[in-house]
Amino acid sequence: MKRSINRAAVIGSGVMGSGIAAHLANVGIPVVMLDIVPKELNGEEKRKGLSLEDIEVRNRLALQSKQALLKQKPSPITSKNTLKLIETGNMEDDLDRIHEADWIIEVVTENLEIKKKVMAAVEDNRKEGAIVSSNTSGISVEAMAEGRTAEFQRHFMGTHFFNPPRYLKLLEVIPTTKTDPEVLQFMKVFGENVLGKGVVEAKDTPNFIANRIGTYGLLVTVKEMLESGYSVGEIDSVTGPMIGRPKSATFRTLDVVGLDTFIHVAANVYDQVEGKEKEVFDVPDFMREMLENGWLGSKSGQGFYQKRRENGGSAIYELNPQTLQYEERRKLKTAATETAKQQKGSRKKLKALVEAKGDKAGDLVWSILKPVLIYAADLVGEIADDIVSIDRAMKWGFGWEMGPFETWDAIGVQEAAARMEKEGDRVPDQVRDMLARNDGSFYKTEGGGLYYYHRGNYRQQEENPREVDLKAFKTSQGVIQKNTGASLIDIGDGIACLEFHSQNNAIGLDIIQMVNTALEEVDKNYDGLVIGNQGKNFCVGANLAMMLMEAQDDNFFELELVIRKFQEMTMNIKYSNKPVVVAPFNMALGGGAEVALPAAAIQASMETYMGLVEVGVGLIPGGGGTKELYLKELRNLPAGVDFDLAKAANDVFEKVATAKVSESAAQARENGFLDNNDRISTNPDHLLFDAKRRAISLAEAGYRAPAPEKVPVVGDAGYAAMLLGAKSLEYSGYASSHDVKIAEKLAYVLSGGRIREGSLVDEQLILDLEREAFLSLIGEPLTQARMQHMLVKGKPLRN
């Protein structure tokens, strides 16, 4: 049976329900969101003279949840336009509407009896073959399906999203014993390819995989803090990036999650396990007292941390669990933490800490790591079939860089097991079995393949053809050419990939050189080029520190050369004989956007934050970005509409002058950085594959370099209009005189100089104006102060 999900229904419009509905809308799936009918009027409804029978009242909960999506931070929606795909209703009047849905997701309160009642109602209204799932975070999926028909049960499973659904990668899929394997497989593929998730199959056990281990690890850490006398701040200073965990570490994570949510999740396991495991899931008394006080974390304004305004600024205080008073935040600084900081990579940092016996930080890390490693190894086969699923769940759900079994390998399985035995701990059976076979690690590479330990043998990990691993390609194919800033890699099928790997992927002469080298190589020997990488961000712009240093040393000849080379590079991308596809993700700012804009096509990740932000450091774009954004604006005008040069110029002027950055790829399209020729990848792991496929399709379609463009400009009249807008902001107190100077330079570039409106000019003229403006501004002391402030403080200076 060929399946597809064209429409969906979400039952329950709370934080998770509305977040799931928003994510479905983000990927283009229309969804109806239903909730219960309120039992009483609120104040506003009373003032309006409404009754409980009015549709506005009956639909209130779902409607309010939909409206709240606009206010939440971070935003659950990629664009305001996605809200059009979410319809609202209630479970009494509109339950028959789920008959239209191909997938029905239940997201009501975590109560088995309530969920079973909802399933009975769903069964009465769904169409045959529709998939039904529960977003439960730990209630038995098997129990929920009891009493339903065989046909219903074949199409039923758990689908546990992590909050917020737009941003967190993990989707745990939990089949029952009666779930049709074909339906399960469809949902796993759909979750990965359409929803953009990392999908893990879990067993129907308390809290499934990630919450089971993650909650255990957090509680172990809390109890170690209490027993050994560490402070909240000391724990967080060591249990974050230093051991390969998120910056939120332990207690900041709990504040973000919410103490009420965390205690509920812990109680779910506590109620269903026995013995020592039950003891761990018994939440300490001081946390229950925090709950009673309403100290839930970020959503209540205080939790393990409290932010206070003082001395014209703000300070963060940590909770003392003994006194429940807030104190100055402390950090743990020892010889081991200093040694760990010098190591490169999380594996080496962690190993340095674990091996520092007798060091306060080293002992802390080992004390909280050891029980989690033992616990995870004991749960293989109970919560998931294999170690890969457990590792992925922890990385995708909790943001760990290494899952538990990758952590065993990082610190050394043999060494860790020996230390556990010496300290009187029980080494898990499967660790003993593996070591008895003289296999020293859970994962190993052999013959170019990755293998993992599974029930006494090593099983090859399946490769996902949609996941392009640049490190693997460099190992198997070698590097065509490289320098300090970038590498050119053969990624197969006639396509090469240029990978940036300078510090922060900042663009300097090394990357400029490699772009030009790559274009020459591809022109001779390949069908197309992808520009992309797998770093933290695509590219945050040019090398700001280098430019500031040159400007302060009055090396304007060198600066002019660099800017000219940058402009030539972007023009080479634009007029390449072979298609160039740029694959931006996360931050693609300033020079990063300028690399993307002239490409034959952009294949953007859904989470792409793109903008020309140079004004924030007192400059304007210097690599052709203003020109390319303006040309895209003109090309994007609807067919049959006359060019409105003034509107196009003003729109681009506003975006660049305000350093407007998109909050998603969809918003980048709305801002004009993407057009109908550009595409968006929902799953970030598929980005390079999609970009490669796009390059292949362009080449197969007979791609030819575009003809050189003449640029229609607004001239004197447009320049005056743009400058007037900037002056108005200055008169109103919203812009400084230096802001106006920057705006004046930008307006001059966009207008094409002091010429007649409607004139057609060469691209090179615009580039020359841009370069001159850039160089004049970088010589300004106020601009240099802005650049210095950004480098030191990481935020713009208004002067």
Side-chain angles (χ1 to χ4, degrees):
M1 178 181 176
K2 180 71 174 174
R3 289 188 176 275
S4 62
I5 292 176
N6 299 313
R7 295 186 66 84
V10 172
I11 300 177
S13 68
V15 172
M16 280 305 298
S18 60
I20 292 169
H23 190 63
L24 289 167
N26 287 338
V27 300
I29 297 174
V31 56
V32 59
M33 182 169 65
L34 308 179
D35 212 317
I36 60 173
V37 175
K39 293 181 179 178
E40 57 185 33
L41 299 174
N42 62 26
E44 184 180 352
E45 290 163 347
K46 289 177 182 177
R47 286 191 295 272
K48 287 182 176 180
L50 298 175
S51 75
L52 289 173
E53 299 308 311
D54 284 305
I55 194 67
E56 181 180 334
V57 177
R58 296 177 71 78
N59 290 351
R60 184 217 305 159
L61 295 180
L63 188 58
Q64 284 183 343
S65 292
K66 176 180 176 179
Q67 292 167 342
L69 294 171
L70 287 169
K71 301 174 185 176
Q72 292 177 32
K73 296 293 179 184
S75 177
I77 53 175
T78 56
S79 164
K80 291 180 181 179
N81 290 329
T82 61
L83 290 181
K84 297 174 184 176
L85 293 174
I86 303 176
E87 298 178 72
T88 57
N90 68 76
M91 292 171 62
E92 292 180 16
D93 304 326
D94 304 303
L95 205 53
D96 60 334
R97 295 180 63 187
I98 70 173
H99 189 77
E100 306 164 9
D102 304 300
W103 180 23
I104 302 154
I105 310 121
E106 168 273 307
V107 204
V108 302
T109 188
E110 288 288 270
N111 179 291
L112 178 58
E113 292 310 310
I114 293 174
K115 287 179 181 289
K116 291 183 77 168
K117 287 179 181 177
V118 170
M119 294 306 163
V122 167
E123 184 172 46
D124 290 340
N125 289 276
R126 66 183 273 273
K127 65 184 178 184
E128 186 176 346
I131 296 170
V132 183
S133 70
S134 171
N135 185 63
T136 179
S137 58
I139 290 178
S140 171
V141 182
E142 201 83 45
M144 270 185 249
E146 288 176 1
R148 306 279 62 82
T149 64
E151 195 275 338
F152 181 101
Q153 292 193 27
R154 284 198 303 273
H155 294 85
F156 178 71
M157 69 189 76
T159 50
H160 181 214
F161 288 82
F162 274 60
N163 191 35
R166 170 182 165 184
Y167 299 98
L168 283 192
K169 183 174 178 178
L170 180 61
L171 173 62
E172 291 176 324
V173 177
I174 310 99
T176 72
T177 54
K178 296 177 181 177
T179 303
D180 186 331
E182 181 269 327
V183 174
L184 173 65
Q185 182 61 25
F186 168 80
M187 284 304 296
K188 289 164 74 171
V189 172
F190 175 83
E192 179 185 343
N193 294 347
V194 180
L195 299 180
K197 297 299 176 186
V199 183
V200 169
E201 184 178 337
K203 292 181 178 290
D204 189 14
T205 55
N207 286 14
F208 312 128
I209 303 174
N211 276 344
R212 180 80 169 266
I213 294 175
T215 304
Y216 182 91
L218 286 165
L219 284 169
V220 162
T221 304
V222 172
K223 291 180 180 183
E224 177 63 23
M225 174 186 72
L226 296 175
E227 290 172 8
S228 301
Y230 295 98
S231 80
V232 163
E234 286 177 332
I235 295 284
D236 274 2
S237 67
V238 177
T239 58
M242 197 176 292
I243 63 169
R245 305 284 172 83
K247 288 182 180 179
S248 55
T250 301
F251 293 103
R252 178 68 185 128
T253 295
L254 287 170
D255 274 354
V256 171
V257 169
L259 190 60
D260 52 345
T261 301
F262 176 77
I263 289 178
H264 171 79
V265 171
N268 191 55
V269 182
Y270 178 85
D271 292 339
Q272 300 182 65
V273 296
E274 300 295 336
K276 289 186 177 181
E277 184 178 8
K278 193 179 190 76
E279 291 176 17
V280 173
F281 283 94
D282 187 9
V283 175
D285 290 340
F286 87 93
M287 292 174 72
R288 297 189 188 280
E289 194 170 341
M290 288 174 66
L291 180 64
E292 290 174 10
N293 292 342
W295 300 351
L296 307 181
S298 301
K299 60 186 172 186
S300 66
Q302 69 183 96
F304 291 99
Y305 292 100
Q306 184 185 57
K307 191 174 185 179
R308 297 178 184 172
R309 297 239 173 237
E310 53 185 44
N311 302 323
S314 62
I316 296 175
Y317 289 80
E318 64 177 57
L319 184 73
N320 182 324
Q322 308 297 336
T323 65
L324 290 187
Q325 299 296 313
Y326 288 94
E327 303 173 350
E328 287 191 11
R329 189 164 48 165
R330 287 184 277 164
K331 292 185 178 181
L332 192 58
K333 186 176 181 180
T334 70
T337 61
E338 295 308 299
T339 300
K341 286 176 184 177
Q342 304 305 314
Q343 305 301 313
K344 287 189 176 181
S346 297
R347 288 174 175 267
K348 291 182 179 179
K349 290 179 189 295
L350 179 62
K351 191 170 176 64
L353 283 166
V354 168
E355 290 177 347
K357 298 177 185 177
D359 181 278
K360 194 174 182 183
D363 290 346
L364 167 63
V365 170
W366 175 247
S367 295
I368 63 177
L369 194 64
K370 176 175 65 172
V372 173
L373 296 182
I374 293 171
Y375 189 62
D378 283 338
L379 289 174
V380 177
E382 179 182 337
I383 63 173
D385 276 332
D386 53 66
I387 65 171
V388 176
S389 297
I390 294 175
D391 277 348
R392 286 175 172 173
M394 298 316 300
K395 291 191 290 185
W396 295 343
F398 276 73
W400 294 8
E401 285 186 36
M402 298 172 284
F405 299 95
E406 291 168 323
T407 301
W408 273 100
D409 284 356
I411 64 176
V413 181
Q414 180 73 60
E415 295 89 338
R419 185 173 175 183
M420 289 171 184
E421 285 187 329
K422 187 175 180 180
E423 293 172 357
D425 295 291
R426 180 187 57 79
V427 176
D429 290 341
Q430 89 157 310
V431 178
R432 288 179 174 280
D433 293 343
M434 185 178 72
L435 292 175
R437 292 164 44 86
N438 296 318
D439 293 315
S441 63
F442 282 102
Y443 293 92
K444 65 180 182 179
T445 303
E446 197 172 273
L450 180 62
Y451 292 78
Y452 63 94
Y453 188 76
H454 185 73
R455 297 176 184 172
N457 294 294
Y458 280 88
R459 177 182 290 183
Q460 186 166 8
Q461 195 168 317
E462 289 183 20
E463 290 185 13
N464 187 334
R466 291 175 176 266
E467 294 181 7
V468 174
D469 185 340
L470 291 181
K471 286 183 180 177
F473 270 109
K474 283 191 277 191
T475 301
S476 62
Q477 305 288 99
V479 175
I480 303 167
Q481 292 198 51
K482 67 177 289 186
N483 64 17
T484 55
S487 295
L488 185 62
I489 308 156
D490 186 335
I491 57 173
D493 301 311
I495 305 299
C497 177
L498 183 67
E499 173 199 32
F500 295 173
H501 48 62
S502 63
Q503 186 171 4
N504 297 321
N505 285 349
I507 298 174
L509 280 171
D510 49 1
I511 284 182
I512 292 171
Q513 178 192 335
M514 273 305 301
V515 170
N516 291 328
T517 300
L519 292 169
E520 290 175 7
E521 176 68 23
V522 167
D523 191 37
K524 294 175 186 174
N525 299 312
Y526 290 86
D527 296 326
L529 174 68
V530 169
I531 299 179
N533 63 75
Q534 293 174 324
K536 183 179 179 182
N537 295 295
F538 172 70
C539 176
V540 295
N543 189 327
L544 193 63
M546 181 273 291
M547 291 193 299
L548 176 60
M549 184 175 63
E550 296 290 353
Q552 289 174 334
D553 290 343
D554 291 330
N555 289 334
F556 288 96
F557 176 80
E558 292 292 334
L559 279 170
E560 199 273 344
L561 175 65
V562 171
I563 301 305
R564 188 183 292 274
K565 293 276 187 190
F566 197 138
Q567 292 179 338
E568 289 171 356
M569 175 197 75
T570 59
M571 291 289 277
N572 289 342
I573 290 172
K574 181 172 184 174
Y575 293 110
S576 167
N577 290 321
K578 301 292 176 67
V580 177
V581 178
V582 177
F585 62 95
N586 293 349
M587 287 194 280
L589 304 177
E594 289 183 298
V595 168
L597 284 167
I602 299 173
Q603 183 74 43
S605 172
M606 188 171 83
E607 299 303 328
T608 298
Y609 316 118
M610 185 178 282
L612 296 169
V613 296
E614 288 82 355
V615 166
V617 290
L619 299 167
I620 70 165
T626 303
K627 167 181 67 74
E628 290 301 327
L629 187 60
Y630 175 59
L631 287 170
K632 274 206 175 220
E633 187 91 11
L634 295 178
R635 285 196 293 269
N636 286 343
L637 287 172
V641 176
D642 292 334
F643 275 9
D644 187 342
L645 293 182
K647 182 180 185 307
N650 284 333
D651 284 352
V652 172
F653 176 77
E654 181 186 345
K655 290 164 191 168
V656 179
T658 59
K660 193 169 189 177
V661 176
S662 68
E663 295 180 359
S664 65
Q667 206 174 83
R669 193 186 297 282
E670 292 166 8
N671 292 351
F673 285 83
L674 306 182
D675 58 26
N676 292 332
N677 188 49
D678 303 319
R679 296 176 184 171
I680 298 171
S681 295
T682 306
N683 192 322
D685 292 341
H686 297 177
L687 178 61
L688 289 179
F689 173 83
D690 293 341
K692 173 184 170 180
R693 194 163 56 175
R694 184 81 173 110
I696 291 171
S697 67
L698 286 169
E700 290 177 346
Y703 180 83
R704 293 288 181 270
E709 292 190 73
K710 290 282 188 179
V711 184
V713 294
V714 291
D716 271 329
Y719 170 74
M722 286 183 276
L723 192 56
L724 178 61
K727 285 285 187 183
S728 298
L729 289 175
E730 182 184 20
Y731 297 148
S732 304
Y734 292 106
S736 68
S737 59
H738 192 55
D739 292 329
V740 173
K741 179 178 282 188
I742 299 165
E744 182 181 4
K745 299 286 186 183
L746 177 62
Y748 192 74
V749 171
L750 267 171
S751 64
R754 307 303 295 271
I755 58 177
R756 183 171 53 83
E757 183 178 8
S759 298
L760 293 171
V761 301
D762 289 333
E763 288 181 271
Q764 190 58 51
L765 172 66
I766 306 293
L767 291 173
D768 291 342
L769 294 175
E770 197 176 273
R771 189 172 66 255
E772 291 162 11
F774 185 96
L775 291 167
S776 68
L777 285 170
I778 203 170
E780 294 277 349
L782 289 176
T783 285
Q784 292 180 14
R786 290 188 180 193
M787 296 171 73
Q788 183 74 38
H789 191 270
M790 179 62 76
L791 288 168
V792 174
K793 301 288 187 181
K795 56 186 178 181
L797 170 69
R798 301 307 303 270
N799 57 4

